[in-house]
């Protein structure tokens, strides 16, 4: 069995999500948006698919990196292919990203599951078939009644609790939003949410990525008083020493690293340095499901939890197959967006959540996505 084709289809769909100049997501009015699906095809007709932003898997990346490693390879040799792709990153001038690497790896997992008529989580070894989700709120905005004030966050948090969430994570205001960053305003939003939801809901904060030590020490001490479950990425993650300092100075658990490159090797250095209380992994941050599993097992060997970064079917599979992940990150969520409504290119969402806040893992073959292939073919961007 050999891979004979790798292609990307870019298509239009309607989205209510927009991005500001810094790349942070916000809710908005419906607009035309582009998305992409990479498909790997084997010589027996078996296929695997993975969705991602078109920019990450643009033609240059597919032709210069993905095809050179994939074409002619056995699609079941995932680790061998992954190592080949990983080594090709070095000479790419940082153009061949971990995100692009992950898209190819996830498509290989999808192909294997579809070929064997099994869900990927069972191929890996299922630990659970449902997992509690936390509602991950979008970054603050300047739209009155959306996420423009601490009261807005509190009101939205109450709606999330009514929906069934037992935990909520705040992304507060970040540039280019006016007045951001502002440590006191961030603390005010955290306090408003705690007061609104009471002590029985776990709360987390995803901080501004470039706070100084003095700023995050103030925030951390306030979050101690508010009994937050963790804080993540409040400073530049290139400084392991800064995170070691933070973990030593506040009682709120520190989660990381999230965006620091280096895959499982970086996480090993953080665990060794005791720079975090919990490790962070996400399929598009570290190059796929395989390296995310390596990080989770690394964390397990240190007696640490490994909280999985981001929504998406790949991250849900990792959370379903390791014992030391507490929550699934569901979102990003915004008051103007119905997250439970499937995008047009899917027949249903991949992470349905029940009234008690549990996301149920699909038993569909492959990654488990119910793809609307007709919609994609009828809305291609040439």
């Amino acid at each position: 069995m050999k891979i004979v084709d790798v292609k990307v289809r870019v298509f239009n769909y309607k989205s209510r999500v927009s991005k500001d100049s810094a790349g942070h997501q916000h809710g908005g009015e419906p607009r035309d948006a582009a998305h992409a699906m990479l498909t790997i095809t084997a010589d027996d007709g078996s296929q695997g698919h993975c969705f991602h932003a078109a920019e990450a898997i643009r033609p240059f990346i597919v032709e210069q990196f993905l095809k050179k490693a994939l074409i002619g390879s056995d699609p079941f040799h995932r680790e061998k292919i992954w190592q080949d792709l990983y080594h090709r990153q070095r000479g790419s001038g940082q153009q061949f990203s971990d995100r692009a690497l992950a898209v190819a790896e996830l498509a290989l997992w999808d192909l294997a599951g579809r070929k064997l008529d099994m869900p990927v989580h069972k191929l890996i070894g299922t630990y659970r078939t449902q997992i509690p989700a936390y509602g991950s709120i979008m970054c603050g905005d300047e739209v009155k009644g959306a996420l423009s004030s601490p009261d807005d966050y509190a009101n939205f948090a109450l709606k999330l609790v009514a929906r069934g969430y037992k935990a909520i994570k705040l992304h507060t205001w970040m540039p280019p939003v006016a007045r951001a960053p502002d440590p006191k305003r961030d603390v005010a939003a955290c306090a408003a949410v705690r007061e609104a939801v009471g002590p029985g809901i776990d709360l987390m904060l995803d901080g501004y990525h470039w706070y100084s030590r003095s700023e995050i020490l103030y925030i951390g001490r306030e979050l101690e008083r508010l009994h937050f479950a963790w804080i993540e990425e409040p400073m530049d993650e290139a400084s392991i020493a800064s995170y070691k300092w933070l973990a030593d100075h506040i009682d709120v658990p520190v989660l990381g690293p999230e965006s620091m490159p280096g895959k499982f090797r970086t996480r090993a250095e953080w665990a060794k340095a005791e720079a975090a209380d919990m490790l962070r992994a996400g399929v598009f941050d570290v190059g796929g499901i395989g390296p995310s599993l390596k990080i989770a097992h690394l964390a397990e060997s240190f007696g640490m939890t490994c909280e999985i970064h981001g929504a998406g079917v790949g991250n849900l599979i990792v959370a379903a197959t390791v014992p030391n992940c507490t929550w699934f990150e569901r979102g990003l969520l915004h008051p103007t967006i119905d997250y439970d409504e499937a995008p047009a290119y899917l027949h249903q969402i991949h992470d349905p959540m029940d009234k008690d806040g549990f996301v149920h893992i699909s038993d569909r073959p492959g990654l488990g996505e119910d793809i609307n292939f007709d919609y994609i073919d009828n809305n291609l961007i040439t």
Side-chain angles (χ1 to χ4, degrees):
M1 189 176 181
K2 302 295 182 183
I3 296 170
V4 296
D5 190 32
V6 181
K7 70 177 180 180
V8 173
R9 279 174 279 185
V10 183
F11 56 91
N12 270 320
Y13 76 107
K14 290 291 184 181
S15 173
R16 296 186 68 97
V17 177
S18 62
K19 290 187 177 182
D20 59 33
S21 60
H24 302 128
Q25 293 186 10
H26 300 283
E29 295 299 319
R31 64 180 184 87
D32 288 328
H35 206 34
M37 182 178 72
L38 181 135
T39 298
I40 296 174
T41 304
D43 52 9
D44 68 345
S46 301
Q47 291 187 324
H49 314 278
C50 182
F51 292 103
H52 203 60
E55 294 82 3
I57 46 176
R58 59 193 184 277
F60 173 77
I61 299 300
V62 174
E63 296 295 328
Q64 294 300 315
F65 303 104
L66 299 187
K67 282 188 175 181
K68 290 179 179 180
L70 290 165
I71 298 296
S73 296
D74 185 326
F76 281 86
H77 293 179
R78 285 183 301 276
E79 182 66 18
K80 181 180 180 181
I81 293 171
W82 188 92
Q83 292 291 342
D84 187 352
L85 288 168
Y86 165 54
H87 289 296
R88 291 175 188 272
Q89 286 185 295
R90 185 177 182 277
S92 73
Q94 297 185 331
Q95 295 191 74
F96 181 26
S97 67
D98 283 343
R99 289 179 175 269
L101 173 56
V103 173
E105 197 248 19
L106 264 67
L108 289 171
W109 278 109
D110 191 53
L111 187 153
R114 290 173 183 269
K115 172 67 176 178
L116 300 174
D117 196 30
M118 287 185 66
V120 169
H121 65 86
K122 288 187 177 180
L123 294 180
I124 297 169
T126 307
Y127 176 74
R128 57 188 139 200
T129 57
Q130 62 181 32
I131 183 170
Y134 67 83
S136 188
I137 300 177
M138 284 185 181
C139 290
D141 53 41
E142 299 174 79
V143 180
K144 187 175 182 180
L147 295 173
S148 65
S149 69
D151 285 344
D152 284 345
Y153 274 88
N155 291 334
F156 188 41
L158 288 173
K159 294 179 181 178
L160 296 181
V161 171
R163 172 64 181 85
Y165 290 102
K166 302 300 188 295
I168 298 169
K169 188 174 79 177
L170 289 74
H171 295 83
T172 47
W173 299 274
M174 301 181 192
V177 173
R179 296 169 50 199
D182 183 337
K184 291 185 177 180
R185 193 181 183 204
D186 289 348
V187 167
C190 293
V193 171
R194 172 56 77 203
E195 182 178 0
V197 302
I201 301 297
D202 278 3
L203 298 179
M204 309 87 156
L205 175 65
D206 191 335
Y208 176 60
H209 325 299
W210 293 283
Y211 272 133
S212 68
R213 288 192 183 192
S214 59
E215 290 169 328
I216 197 54
L217 183 60
Y218 158 72
I219 294 173
R221 295 277 168 80
E222 291 297 311
L223 296 189
E224 290 174 4
R225 182 177 60 81
L226 296 170
H227 304 290
F228 265 53
W230 77 58
I231 186 169
E232 62 183 273
E233 204 174 7
M235 298 181 289
D236 190 330
E237 290 183 338
S239 175
I240 296 179
S242 292
Y243 277 87
K244 167 62 174 171
W245 170 88
L246 181 63
D248 288 343
H249 280 79
I250 65 172
D251 291 335
V252 176
V254 176
L255 174 64
E258 179 175 305
S259 58
M260 187 64 185
K263 306 177 179 67
F264 42 85
R265 292 177 174 86
T266 299
R267 276 72 185 172
E269 294 297 329
W270 276 56
K272 179 183 176 182
E274 298 182 339
D277 302 290
M278 303 177 285
L279 290 186
R280 191 70 153 151
V283 295
F284 293 115
D285 303 317
V286 301
I289 289 175
S292 296
L293 292 172
K294 292 179 182 180
I295 294 166
H297 298 321
L298 167 71
E300 185 181 8
S301 70
F302 275 86
M304 303 169 72
T305 60
C306 180
E307 298 301 333
I308 307 304
H309 171 227
V313 66
N315 287 320
L316 180 57
I317 288 169
V318 175
T321 53
V322 299
N324 55 327
C325 174
T326 309
W327 303 95
F328 173 67
E329 182 170 7
R330 198 166 189 259
L332 298 167
L333 308 177
H334 190 272
T336 66
I337 296 175
D338 180 3
Y339 184 83
D340 293 303
E341 180 182 355
Y345 56 87
L346 296 176
H347 291 295
Q348 55 187 314
I349 59 175
H350 69 275
D351 56 350
M353 189 180 82
D354 63 27
K355 62 180 178 60
D356 297 315
F358 284 88
V359 167
H360 296 257
I361 291 84
S362 172
D363 266 343
R364 295 179 60 85
L367 294 176
E369 289 182 302
D370 190 358
I371 301 172
N372 188 337
F373 291 100
D374 288 338
Y375 178 87
I376 293 170
D377 289 337
N378 291 331
N379 290 274
L380 293 175
I381 300 173
T382 56

